[in-house]
Amino acid sequence: MKFAKQKITYPNYDFSIFIPKNWEWKVETYETEKIILGIDAVSELDKDGFVDVISIQKFKSLGKNNDLKSEYEFWLNGMKNKPENEKLIESGFTEILNKKSYFFHTKSDTGRYGESEIISFILDSGIEGVFYNLTASASQTSDLEKNMSILVQSLMTFENLNN
């Protein structure tokens, strides 16, 4: 799917990514020492008042793990304690950007129109015990497939500039 893009680069040149043109984005600050840096990019409101979001975070292992697989398993165990209305659709090993990664596909299963469907990828940052989390969150509307396709295509343009 083709769409107009804009390239954004994190202010300290940690990473870059192409996001849909005219999306607003901002550097986030976090209340935890575990998250080193991150951004959120948000679409304009759709006709029903919903937004789609791309979120990128660089973080220290949440489970004190040094390797990607152990971090994935830590997250997966945490998924078992997710809120009642969130369902894990699929997860596992994959390769994105020619790098080993793990993914999670979750969605709200309340049946309410516009609830979120989320695909997240965890990748190594090149620093032991530090990882990237790339997340695409699309509203479950009639445009879900098109919008999720755009979000995932955007995530595939992520580039770690520290390599």
Side-chain angles (χ1 to χ4, degrees):
M1 172 165 290
K2 293 189 181 222
F3 60 97
K5 303 170 186 81
Q6 63 181 329
K7 183 176 183 177
I8 61 172
T9 302
Y10 194 82
N12 73 355
Y13 300 99
D14 190 273
F15 66 85
S16 67
I17 187 170
F18 284 88
I19 63 171
K21 193 172 178 129
N22 300 324
W23 276 35
E24 296 292 323
W25 71 279
K26 67 177 184 171
V27 172
E28 294 292 343
T29 55
Y30 302 95
E31 301 293 320
T32 176
E33 293 177 4
K34 291 282 188 184
I35 302 175
I36 299 166
L37 55 82
I39 64 155
D40 282 336
V42 181
S43 70
E44 296 177 352
L45 292 175
D46 70 9
K47 64 184 179 336
D48 298 316
F50 297 109
V51 296
D52 297 323
V53 179
I54 292 172
S55 181
I56 299 175
Q57 298 172 335
K58 185 177 187 179
F59 66 96
K60 296 176 189 171
S61 171
L62 300 179
K64 298 183 179 153
N65 300 300
N66 288 329
D67 65 284
L68 185 62
K69 184 176 183 186
S70 297
E71 187 66 12
Y72 161 74
E73 290 169 353
F74 177 83
W75 282 46
L76 187 59
N77 287 332
M79 295 271 175
K80 295 174 183 169
N81 299 318
K82 278 283 192 182
E84 204 172 287
N85 295 327
E86 193 166 320
K87 180 178 174 184
L88 178 63
I89 306 299
E90 189 176 6
S91 69
F93 177 80
T94 190
E95 283 197 21
I96 61 169
L97 309 165
N98 297 318
K99 296 185 184 324
K100 294 177 183 177
S101 68
Y102 288 88
F103 75 96
F104 299 95
H105 179 191
T106 61
K107 73 178 193 175
S108 170
D109 66 355
T110 63
R112 287 196 299 260
Y113 186 77
E115 293 282 329
S116 292
E117 187 158 334
I118 300 168
I119 298 176
S120 292
F121 298 92
I122 302 173
L123 300 105
D124 271 318
S125 71
I127 301 168
E128 186 174 295
V130 177
F131 308 94
Y132 284 104
N133 179 24
L134 313 180
T135 301
S137 178
S139 300
Q140 294 178 51
T141 65
S142 58
D143 292 327
L144 172 65
E145 288 182 16
K146 176 186 80 148
N147 292 344
M148 187 59 84
S149 174
I150 289 169
L151 296 176
V152 171
Q153 284 181 57
S154 292
L155 292 183
M156 295 305 111
T157 68
F158 173 85
E159 184 178 2
N160 178 350
L161 300 176
N162 291 316
N163 285 342

Coordinates of all heavy atoms in Angstrom, one line a residue, residues 68-140:
L68 N 17.7 -11.5 23.8 CA 16.4 -11.2 23.2 C 15.3 -12.3 23.5 O 14.2 -12.0 23.9 CB 16.5 -11.0 21.7 CG 15.3 -10.6 20.9 CD1 14.8 -9.3 21.4 CD2 15.6 -10.6 19.4
K69 N 15.7 -13.6 23.4 CA 14.8 -14.6 23.6 C 14.3 -14.6 25.1 O 13.1 -14.8 25.3 CB 15.4 -16.0 23.3 CG 14.4 -17.1 23.4 CD 14.9 -18.5 23.0 CE 13.8 -19.5 23.1 NZ 14.3 -20.8 22.9
S70 N 15.1 -14.4 26.0 CA 14.7 -14.4 27.4 C 13.8 -13.2 27.7 O 12.9 -13.3 28.5 CB 16.0 -14.3 28.4 OG 16.8 -15.4 28.2
E71 N 14.1 -12.1 27.0 CA 13.2 -10.9 27.2 C 11.8 -11.2 26.6 O 10.8 -10.9 27.3 CB 13.8 -9.7 26.5 CG 13.1 -8.4 26.8 CD 13.1 -7.9 28.3 OE1 13.9 -8.5 29.1 OE2 12.3 -7.0 28.6
Y72 N 11.8 -11.8 25.5 CA 10.5 -12.2 24.9 C 9.7 -13.1 25.8 O 8.5 -12.9 26.1 CB 10.7 -12.9 23.5 CG 9.6 -13.8 23.1 CD1 8.4 -13.1 22.6 CD2 9.6 -15.2 23.2 CE1 7.3 -13.9 22.1 CE2 8.5 -15.9 22.7 CZ 7.4 -15.3 22.2 OH 6.3 -16.0 21.8
E73 N 10.4 -14.1 26.4 CA 9.7 -15.1 27.3 C 9.2 -14.3 28.6 O 8.1 -14.7 29.1 CB 10.6 -16.2 27.7 CG 10.9 -17.1 26.5 CD 12.0 -18.1 26.7 OE1 12.7 -18.1 27.7 OE2 12.1 -19.0 25.8
F74 N 9.9 -13.4 29.0 CA 9.5 -12.6 30.2 C 8.2 -11.8 29.8 O 7.2 -11.8 30.6 CB 10.6 -11.6 30.6 CG 10.2 -10.6 31.7 CD1 10.3 -11.1 33.0 CD2 9.7 -9.4 31.4 CE1 9.9 -10.2 34.1 CE2 9.3 -8.5 32.5 CZ 9.4 -9.0 33.8
W75 N 8.2 -11.2 28.6 CA 7.0 -10.5 28.2 C 5.8 -11.4 28.0 O 4.7 -11.1 28.3 CB 7.3 -9.7 26.9 CG 8.0 -8.4 27.0 CD1 9.2 -8.2 27.8 CD2 7.8 -7.2 26.4 NE1 9.6 -6.9 27.6 CE2 8.7 -6.3 26.8 CE3 6.8 -6.8 25.5 CZ2 8.8 -5.0 26.3 CZ3 6.8 -5.5 25.0 CH2 7.8 -4.6 25.4
L76 N 6.1 -12.6 27.4 CA 5.0 -13.5 27.1 C 4.4 -14.0 28.4 O 3.2 -14.1 28.5 CB 5.6 -14.7 26.3 CG 4.6 -15.8 25.9 CD1 3.6 -15.1 24.9 CD2 5.3 -16.9 25.1
N77 N 5.2 -14.3 29.4 CA 4.7 -14.7 30.7 C 3.8 -13.5 31.3 O 2.8 -13.8 31.9 CB 5.8 -15.0 31.7 CG 6.4 -16.4 31.4 OD1 5.7 -17.2 30.8 ND2 7.6 -16.5 31.8
G78 N 4.2 -12.3 31.1 CA 3.4 -11.1 31.5 C 2.1 -11.0 30.8 O 1.1 -10.5 31.4
M79 N 2.1 -11.5 29.6 CA 0.8 -11.4 28.8 C -0.3 -12.3 29.4 O -1.4 -12.0 29.2 CB 1.1 -11.9 27.4 CG 2.0 -11.1 26.6 SD 1.0 -9.8 25.7 CE 2.3 -8.8 25.0
K80 N 0.1 -13.3 30.1 CA -0.8 -14.2 30.7 C -1.6 -13.5 31.8 O -2.7 -13.9 32.2 CB -0.1 -15.5 31.3 CG 0.4 -16.3 30.2 CD 1.3 -17.5 30.7 CE 1.9 -18.2 29.5 NZ 2.8 -19.2 29.9
N81 N -1.1 -12.4 32.3 CA -1.7 -11.6 33.4 C -2.3 -10.3 32.8 O -2.6 -9.4 33.5 CB -0.7 -11.3 34.5 CG -0.2 -12.5 35.1 OD1 -0.9 -13.4 35.4 ND2 1.1 -12.5 35.4
K82 N -2.6 -10.3 31.5 CA -3.1 -9.1 30.8 C -4.6 -8.9 31.3 O -5.2 -9.8 31.8 CB -3.1 -9.3 29.3 CG -1.8 -9.0 28.7 CD -1.6 -7.5 28.6 CE -0.5 -7.2 27.7 NZ -0.3 -5.8 27.6
P83 N -5.0 -7.7 31.1 CA -6.4 -7.4 31.4 C -7.4 -8.3 30.7 O -7.1 -8.8 29.7 CB -6.6 -5.9 30.9 CG -5.3 -5.4 30.8 CD -4.3 -6.5 30.5
E84 N -8.5 -8.6 31.4 CA -9.5 -9.6 30.9 C -9.9 -9.3 29.5 O -10.2 -10.3 28.7 CB -10.7 -9.5 31.8 CG -11.5 -10.7 31.9 CD -12.5 -10.6 33.0 OE1 -12.2 -10.7 34.1 OE2 -13.7 -10.4 32.6
N85 N -10.0 -8.1 29.1 CA -10.6 -7.8 27.7 C -9.5 -7.7 26.6 O -9.8 -7.3 25.5 CB -11.4 -6.5 27.8 CG -12.6 -6.6 28.7 OD1 -13.2 -7.6 28.8 ND2 -12.9 -5.5 29.3
E86 N -8.3 -8.1 26.9 CA -7.2 -8.1 25.9 C -6.8 -9.5 25.6 O -6.6 -10.3 26.5 CB -6.0 -7.3 26.4 CG -5.1 -7.0 25.3 CD -4.0 -6.0 25.7 OE1 -4.4 -5.0 26.3 OE2 -2.9 -6.1 25.3
K87 N -6.8 -9.8 24.3 CA -6.5 -11.2 23.9 C -5.2 -11.3 23.1 O -5.0 -10.5 22.2 CB -7.7 -11.6 23.0 CG -7.6 -13.0 22.5 CD -8.9 -13.4 21.7 CE -8.8 -14.7 21.1 NZ -10.0 -15.0 20.2
L88 N -4.4 -12.3 23.4 CA -3.2 -12.5 22.7 C -3.6 -13.4 21.5 O -4.0 -14.5 21.6 CB -2.1 -13.2 23.5 CG -0.8 -13.6 22.8 CD1 -0.1 -12.4 22.4 CD2 0.1 -14.4 23.8
I89 N -3.4 -12.8 20.3 CA -3.8 -13.5 19.0 C -2.7 -14.5 18.6 O -2.9 -15.6 18.3 CB -4.1 -12.5 17.9 CG1 -5.1 -11.5 18.3 CG2 -4.5 -13.3 16.6 CD1 -6.5 -12.1 18.6
E90 N -1.5 -14.0 18.6 CA -0.3 -14.7 18.2 C 1.0 -14.1 18.7 O 1.0 -12.9 18.9 CB -0.3 -14.8 16.6 CG 0.7 -15.7 16.0 CD 0.6 -15.8 14.5 OE1 -0.2 -15.1 13.9 OE2 1.3 -16.6 13.9
S91 N 2.0 -14.9 18.8 CA 3.3 -14.3 19.2 C 4.4 -15.3 18.8 O 4.1 -16.5 18.5 CB 3.4 -14.0 20.7 OG 3.5 -15.3 21.4
G92 N 5.6 -14.8 18.7 CA 6.7 -15.7 18.3 C 7.9 -15.0 17.7 O 8.0 -13.8 17.6
F93 N 8.8 -15.9 17.2 CA 10.0 -15.4 16.5 C 9.7 -15.0 15.1 O 8.9 -15.5 14.4 CB 11.0 -16.6 16.5 CG 12.3 -16.2 15.8 CD1 13.3 -15.5 16.4 CD2 12.5 -16.6 14.5 CE1 14.5 -15.2 15.8 CE2 13.6 -16.3 13.8 CZ 14.6 -15.5 14.4
T94 N 10.4 -13.9 14.7 CA 10.3 -13.5 13.3 C 11.6 -12.7 13.0 O 12.4 -12.6 13.8 CB 9.1 -12.6 13.1 OG1 8.9 -12.3 11.7 CG2 9.2 -11.2 13.8
E95 N 11.7 -12.4 11.7 CA 12.8 -11.5 11.3 C 12.2 -10.3 10.7 O 11.4 -10.4 9.8 CB 13.8 -12.2 10.4 CG 14.7 -13.2 11.1 CD 15.9 -13.6 10.2 OE1 16.2 -12.9 9.3 OE2 16.4 -14.6 10.5
I96 N 12.6 -9.1 11.2 CA 12.2 -7.9 10.6 C 13.5 -7.0 10.4 O 14.4 -7.2 11.2 CB 11.2 -7.1 11.3 CG1 11.6 -6.7 12.7 CG2 9.9 -7.8 11.4 CD1 10.7 -5.7 13.4
L97 N 13.6 -6.3 9.3 CA 14.8 -5.5 9.1 C 16.0 -6.3 9.0 O 17.1 -5.9 9.5 CB 14.9 -4.4 10.1 CG 13.6 -3.5 10.4 CD1 13.7 -2.8 11.7 CD2 13.3 -2.6 9.2
N98 N 15.9 -7.6 8.6 CA 17.0 -8.5 8.5 C 17.6 -8.8 9.9 O 18.8 -9.1 10.0 CB 18.1 -8.0 7.5 CG 17.5 -8.0 6.1 OD1 16.8 -8.9 5.7 ND2 17.9 -6.9 5.4
K99 N 16.8 -8.6 10.9 CA 17.3 -8.9 12.3 C 16.3 -9.8 13.0 O 15.1 -9.8 12.7 CB 17.3 -7.6 13.1 CG 18.3 -6.6 12.5 CD 18.4 -5.4 13.4 CE 19.3 -4.3 12.9 NZ 20.5 -4.6 12.2
K100 N 16.8 -10.6 13.9 CA 16.0 -11.5 14.7 C 15.2 -10.6 15.6 O 15.6 -9.6 16.2 CB 16.9 -12.4 15.6 CG 17.6 -13.4 14.7 CD 18.5 -14.3 15.6 CE 19.3 -15.2 14.7 NZ 20.3 -16.0 15.5
S101 N 13.9 -11.0 15.8 CA 13.0 -10.3 16.7 C 11.9 -11.2 17.1 O 11.8 -12.3 16.6 CB 12.4 -9.0 16.0 OG 11.6 -9.4 14.9
Y102 N 11.1 -10.7 18.1 CA 9.9 -11.4 18.5 C 8.7 -10.5 18.4 O 8.9 -9.2 18.5 CB 10.1 -11.9 20.0 CG 11.1 -13.1 20.0 CD1 12.4 -12.8 20.2 CD2 10.6 -14.4 19.9 CE1 13.3 -13.9 20.3 CE2 11.5 -15.4 20.0 CZ 12.9 -15.2 20.2 OH 13.7 -16.3 20.2
F103 N 7.6 -11.0 18.2 CA 6.4 -10.2 18.0 C 5.3 -10.6 18.9 O 5.2 -11.8 19.3 CB 5.9 -10.1 16.6 CG 5.2 -11.4 16.1 CD1 3.8 -11.4 16.2 CD2 5.9 -12.5 15.7 CE1 3.2 -12.6 15.8 CE2 5.3 -13.7 15.3 CZ 3.9 -13.7 15.4
F104 N 4.4 -9.7 19.2 CA 3.1 -10.0 19.9 C 2.0 -9.3 19.1 O 2.1 -8.2 18.7 CB 3.1 -9.3 21.3 CG 4.2 -9.9 22.2 CD1 5.4 -9.2 22.3 CD2 4.0 -11.0 22.9 CE1 6.4 -9.7 23.1 CE2 5.0 -11.6 23.7 CZ 6.2 -10.9 23.8
H105 N 0.9 -10.0 18.9 CA -0.3 -9.5 18.2 C -1.4 -9.6 19.2 O -1.8 -10.8 19.6 CB -0.6 -10.3 16.9 CG -1.8 -9.8 16.2 ND1 -2.3 -10.5 15.1 CD2 -2.6 -8.7 16.4 CE1 -3.4 -9.8 14.7 NE2 -3.6 -8.8 15.4
T106 N -1.9 -8.5 19.7 CA -3.0 -8.5 20.7 C -4.1 -7.7 20.2 O -4.0 -6.8 19.3 CB -2.5 -8.0 22.1 OG1 -2.1 -6.7 21.9 CG2 -1.4 -8.9 22.6
K107 N -5.3 -7.9 20.8 CA -6.4 -7.0 20.5 C -7.4 -7.0 21.6 O -7.5 -8.0 22.4 CB -7.1 -7.3 19.1 CG -7.9 -8.6 19.1 CD -8.5 -8.7 17.7 CE -9.6 -9.8 17.7 NZ -10.3 -9.8 16.4
S108 N -8.2 -6.0 21.7 CA -9.3 -5.9 22.6 C -10.4 -6.8 22.1 O -10.6 -6.9 20.9 CB -9.8 -4.5 22.7 OG -10.9 -4.4 23.5
D109 N -10.9 -7.6 23.0 CA -12.0 -8.5 22.6 C -13.4 -8.1 23.2 O -14.2 -9.0 23.5 CB -11.6 -9.9 22.7 CG -11.5 -10.4 24.2 OD1 -11.6 -9.5 25.1 OD2 -11.3 -11.6 24.4
T110 N -13.6 -6.8 23.5 CA -14.8 -6.4 24.1 C -15.9 -6.4 23.0 O -17.1 -6.4 23.4 CB -14.7 -5.0 24.7 OG1 -14.4 -4.1 23.6 CG2 -13.6 -4.9 25.7
G111 N -15.5 -6.4 21.8 CA -16.5 -6.3 20.7 C -17.0 -4.9 20.4 O -17.8 -4.6 19.5
R112 N -16.4 -3.9 21.1 CA -16.7 -2.5 20.9 C -16.0 -2.0 19.7 O -14.8 -2.2 19.5 CB -16.4 -1.7 22.1 CG -17.4 -1.9 23.3 CD -17.3 -0.8 24.3 NE -16.0 -0.7 24.9 CZ -15.7 -1.2 26.1 NH1 -16.6 -1.9 26.8 NH2 -14.5 -1.1 26.6
Y113 N -16.7 -1.3 18.9 CA -16.2 -0.7 17.7 C -15.1 0.3 18.0 O -15.2 1.1 19.0 CB -17.3 0.1 16.9 CG -16.9 0.6 15.6 CD1 -16.7 -0.2 14.5 CD2 -16.6 2.0 15.4 CE1 -16.4 0.3 13.2 CE2 -16.2 2.5 14.2 CZ -16.1 1.6 13.1 OH -15.8 2.1 11.8
G114 N -13.9 0.2 17.4 CA -12.8 1.2 17.6 C -11.8 0.8 18.6 O -10.8 1.5 18.8
E115 N -12.0 -0.3 19.3 CA -11.0 -0.7 20.3 C -9.7 -1.0 19.6 O -9.7 -1.3 18.4 CB -11.5 -2.0 21.0 CG -12.7 -1.7 21.9 CD -12.3 -1.1 23.2 OE1 -11.2 -1.3 23.7 OE2 -13.2 -0.4 23.7
S116 N -8.6 -1.1 20.3 CA -7.3 -1.2 19.7 C -6.9 -2.7 19.3 O -7.2 -3.6 20.0 CB -6.2 -0.7 20.6 OG -6.3 0.7 20.8
E117 N -6.2 -2.8 18.2 CA -5.5 -4.0 17.8 C -4.0 -3.6 17.7 O -3.7 -2.6 17.1 CB -6.0 -4.5 16.5 CG -5.4 -5.9 16.2 CD -6.3 -6.7 15.2 OE1 -7.5 -6.5 15.1 OE2 -5.7 -7.5 14.5
I118 N -3.1 -4.4 18.3 CA -1.7 -4.0 18.5 C -0.8 -5.1 18.0 O -1.0 -6.3 18.3 CB -1.4 -3.7 20.0 CG1 -2.3 -2.6 20.5 CG2 0.0 -3.4 20.2 CD1 -2.4 -2.4 22.0
I119 N 0.2 -4.7 17.2 CA 1.3 -5.5 16.9 C 2.6 -4.9 17.4 O 2.9 -3.7 17.1 CB 1.4 -5.8 15.4 CG1 0.2 -6.4 14.8 CG2 2.7 -6.6 15.0 CD1 0.1 -6.6 13.4
S120 N 3.4 -5.6 18.2 CA 4.6 -5.1 18.8 C 5.8 -6.0 18.4 O 5.6 -7.2 18.4 CB 4.6 -5.0 20.3 OG 3.7 -4.0 20.7
F121 N 6.9 -5.4 18.2 CA 8.1 -6.2 17.9 C 9.2 -5.8 18.9 O 9.3 -4.6 19.2 CB 8.7 -5.8 16.5 CG 7.8 -6.2 15.4 CD1 6.9 -5.2 14.9 CD2 7.8 -7.4 14.8 CE1 6.0 -5.6 13.8 CE2 6.9 -7.8 13.7 CZ 6.0 -6.8 13.3
I122 N 9.9 -6.8 19.4 CA 11.1 -6.5 20.3 C 12.3 -6.9 19.5 O 12.4 -8.0 19.0 CB 11.0 -7.4 21.6 CG1 9.7 -7.1 22.3 CG2 12.2 -7.1 22.5 CD1 9.5 -8.0 23.5
L123 N 13.3 -5.9 19.5 CA 14.5 -6.1 18.7 C 15.7 -5.8 19.7 O 15.6 -5.0 20.5 CB 14.7 -5.2 17.5 CG 13.6 -5.2 16.5 CD1 12.7 -4.1 16.6 CD2 14.4 -5.2 15.1
D124 N 16.9 -6.4 19.4 CA 18.1 -6.1 20.1 C 18.5 -4.6 19.7 O 18.3 -4.3 18.5 CB 19.2 -7.0 19.7 CG 19.3 -8.2 20.6 OD1 19.2 -8.0 21.9 OD2 19.5 -9.3 20.1
S125 N 19.1 -3.9 20.6 CA 19.5 -2.6 20.3 C 21.0 -2.5 19.9 O 21.5 -1.5 19.4 CB 19.4 -1.6 21.5 OG 20.3 -2.0 22.5
G126 N 21.7 -3.7 20.1 CA 23.1 -3.7 19.9 C 23.9 -3.5 21.2 O 25.1 -3.6 21.3
I127 N 23.1 -3.2 22.3 CA 23.7 -3.1 23.6 C 23.1 -4.2 24.5 O 21.9 -4.4 24.5 CB 23.3 -1.7 24.3 CG1 23.9 -0.6 23.4 CG2 23.9 -1.6 25.7 CD1 23.3 0.8 23.8
E128 N 24.0 -5.0 25.2 CA 23.5 -6.1 25.9 C 22.5 -5.6 27.0 O 22.7 -4.7 27.7 CB 24.7 -6.8 26.7 CG 24.3 -8.1 27.4 CD 25.5 -8.8 27.9 OE1 26.3 -9.3 27.1 OE2 25.5 -8.9 29.2
G129 N 21.3 -6.3 27.0 CA 20.3 -6.0 28.0 C 19.4 -4.8 27.7 O 18.6 -4.4 28.5
V130 N 19.6 -4.3 26.5 CA 18.8 -3.1 26.0 C 18.2 -3.5 24.7 O 18.8 -4.0 23.8 CB 19.7 -1.8 25.8 CG1 18.9 -0.7 25.3 CG2 20.4 -1.5 27.2
F131 N 16.9 -3.1 24.6 CA 16.1 -3.5 23.4 C 15.2 -2.4 22.9 O 15.1 -1.4 23.6 CB 15.1 -4.7 23.8 CG 15.9 -5.8 24.5 CD1 16.0 -5.9 25.9 CD2 16.5 -6.8 23.7 CE1 16.7 -6.9 26.5 CE2 17.2 -7.8 24.4 CZ 17.3 -7.9 25.7
Y132 N 14.7 -2.6 21.7 CA 13.7 -1.6 21.1 C 12.4 -2.3 21.1 O 12.3 -3.5 20.8 CB 14.1 -1.2 19.7 CG 15.2 -0.2 19.6 CD1 16.4 -0.7 19.1 CD2 15.0 1.1 19.8 CE1 17.5 0.3 19.0 CE2 16.0 2.0 19.7 CZ 17.2 1.6 19.3 OH 18.2 2.5 19.1
N133 N 11.3 -1.6 21.4 CA 10.0 -2.1 21.2 C 9.3 -1.2 20.2 O 9.2 0.0 20.4 CB 9.2 -2.0 22.6 CG 7.8 -2.4 22.5 OD1 7.4 -3.2 21.6 ND2 6.9 -1.9 23.3
L134 N 8.9 -1.8 19.1 CA 8.3 -1.1 18.0 C 6.8 -1.5 18.0 O 6.5 -2.7 17.9 CB 8.9 -1.4 16.6 CG 10.4 -1.4 16.5 CD1 10.8 -1.8 15.1 CD2 11.0 0.0 16.9
T135 N 5.9 -0.5 18.2 CA 4.5 -0.9 18.3 C 3.6 -0.1 17.3 O 3.7 1.1 17.2 CB 4.0 -0.6 19.8 OG1 4.8 -1.3 20.7 CG2 2.5 -0.9 20.0
A136 N 2.7 -0.9 16.7 CA 1.7 -0.3 15.8 C 0.3 -0.6 16.5 O 0.0 -1.8 16.8 CB 1.7 -1.0 14.5
S137 N -0.5 0.4 16.7 CA -1.8 0.3 17.4 C -2.8 0.9 16.5 O -2.8 2.1 16.2 CB -1.8 1.0 18.7 OG -3.0 0.9 19.3
A138 N -3.7 0.1 15.9 CA -4.8 0.6 15.0 C -6.1 0.3 15.7 O -6.3 -0.7 16.4 CB -4.7 -0.2 13.7
S139 N -7.0 1.2 15.4 CA -8.4 1.1 15.9 C -9.1 0.1 15.0 O -9.0 0.0 13.8 CB -9.1 2.4 15.7 OG -8.5 3.4 16.5
Q140 N -9.9 -0.8 15.7 CA -10.7 -1.8 15.0 C -11.9 -1.2 14.4 O -13.0 -1.2 15.0 CB -11.1 -2.9 16.0 CG -9.9 -3.7 16.5 CD -10.3 -4.8 17.5 OE1 -11.2 -5.6 17.3 NE2 -9.7 -4.8 18.7

